[in-house]
Amino acid sequence: MTTRTPRHGRARRLAADPDGVAEAARVLRGGGLVALPTETVYGLAARADDPDAVARIYAAKGRPSFNPLIVHVADAAMAAEVAEVAEVDAVARGLMDRFWPGPLTLVLPARRGLAQAVTAGLPTVAVRCPDGIARDVIRAVGVPLAAPSANPSGRVSPTTAAHVLDGLGDRIDAVLDGGPCAVGIESTILRVHPPTLLREGGLAAEEVEAALGHPLERDTTPGRVAAPGQMGSHYAPKAAVRLGVAVRAPDAVFVGYGTAQADVLLSEAGDPVEAAARLFAALRAADDIATARGLSRIDVAPVPEEGLGRAVNDRLRRAAAPRG
C-alpha cells in the first residue's frame, strides 16, 4: 500500500519535460492523481494496484462504480503483469506488435494484482500502451496506471490541459501539460477472443481487420458495459445536441463538416481524421457560444460513417443521447 501524497488546493500544471515527468511519477507513486496527455485524450491516472488511489479516480470524476477503467502500460511485458496474455497467444501479441504504442485497447482475461475497482467486477481487464510522454511517466512509475478520460463523468473529454483544469482542477493533484492531443478521440476497444469491436475509436476498424485478415465481430451497443466507454449517454456538453442537421438554424449553434458556413468547424475539408482530432474541442467551443448567445441547442452536420467518421459519430450519438 502506498502512502498517499496529500493535496493542497488547485492542481499543479507540470511542464512536459524530464522534470515534469519525474514529478508526475513521484505524485503517482505516492497514491496521487495526475492527468496525463496521450495521443487520444488526457487521462486521469493513478496506480492500478492501489485501491485508495483508484477510488479517488471514481470520486473525482463522479464515475459509476460499474464502469471499468483502462489500464495503461509501457509495453507488452507490463501488460502481462495484469492480463493473461498467454491465454490469447498469437492474436493478442500480433495486435500489440502492430498497433502499440497507439490508440488500441485490448480486453483480456484479468490477472491478480489490480485494485478490484479497476475491472468493476468483470473477469477481464482493458489494457493499452499509449504513445508519447504518458508512456515515459508509466516507465518512471514502474507499475501500470489506471486512467479514464480526465473529465467529469459523462461530460466532454479533454484534449488540452486547460480542459482538464476546467473540469477537475480542484479534485486532482496535477496535470502534465503536453499540449493538444493529436488523435483527439478515445482509443478503439477490442475484445481479443473472438476478435470483437466493443468501441469505435482512434484506430479505424478497417486497419485492425487488415491486420487480422478477416472482419471483426461487433458489439458496440451503448449501455452494455462490457468494457470502458460503453455508457449510452456520454461526452455531453451542457446544451442539447441534435445530429444530422444540414442547414444552419438561428436558434442553435451550428457545428459544420465539409463547409465553412458554421459557428464551429469539425473539418472544412470533410476529413474524418481532422474531425476526430477537433471533435471534443469543437463541442466545448459550441457550448461556450451557446451560453454566450443564450441558446440551448447545438446542431451538428452529418459526418460520413466511414473510417474514423464512425468513431466521431459514435461520440456524437452518445453526446446527443437522453441524459439520466
Side-chain angles (χ1 to χ4, degrees), residues 185 200-201 257 266 272-277 279 303-305 307-317:
I185 201 165
E200 301 275 5
Y257 179 84
L266 290 176
V273 175
E274 183 179 39
L279 175 62
V303 177
E305 284 278 346
L308 288 191
R310 284 195 301 273
V312 171
N313 284 321
D314 170 81
R315 302 311 190 273
L316 287 171
R317 282 189 288 268

Side-chain angles (χ1 to χ4, degrees), residues 24-76:
R26 186 192 68 79
V27 173
L28 288 162
R29 281 195 298 269
L33 301 185
V34 180
L36 301 176
T38 75
E39 74 277 37
T40 58
V41 301
Y42 276 69
L44 182 55
R47 293 181 59 135
D49 62 349
D50 184 337
D52 292 340
V54 171
R56 290 188 67 213
I57 291 179
Y58 281 94
K61 285 177 59 69
R63 186 180 177 95
S65 61
F66 57 80
N67 195 6
L69 306 177
I70 293 177
V71 174
H72 290 66
V73 297
D75 49 35

Side-chain angles (χ1 to χ4, degrees), residues 82-99:
V82 296
E84 293 289 356
V85 177
E87 288 193 8
V88 290
D89 51 72
V91 176
R93 291 288 186 179
L95 291 168
M96 291 175 186
D97 290 344
R98 174 67 179 82
F99 296 112

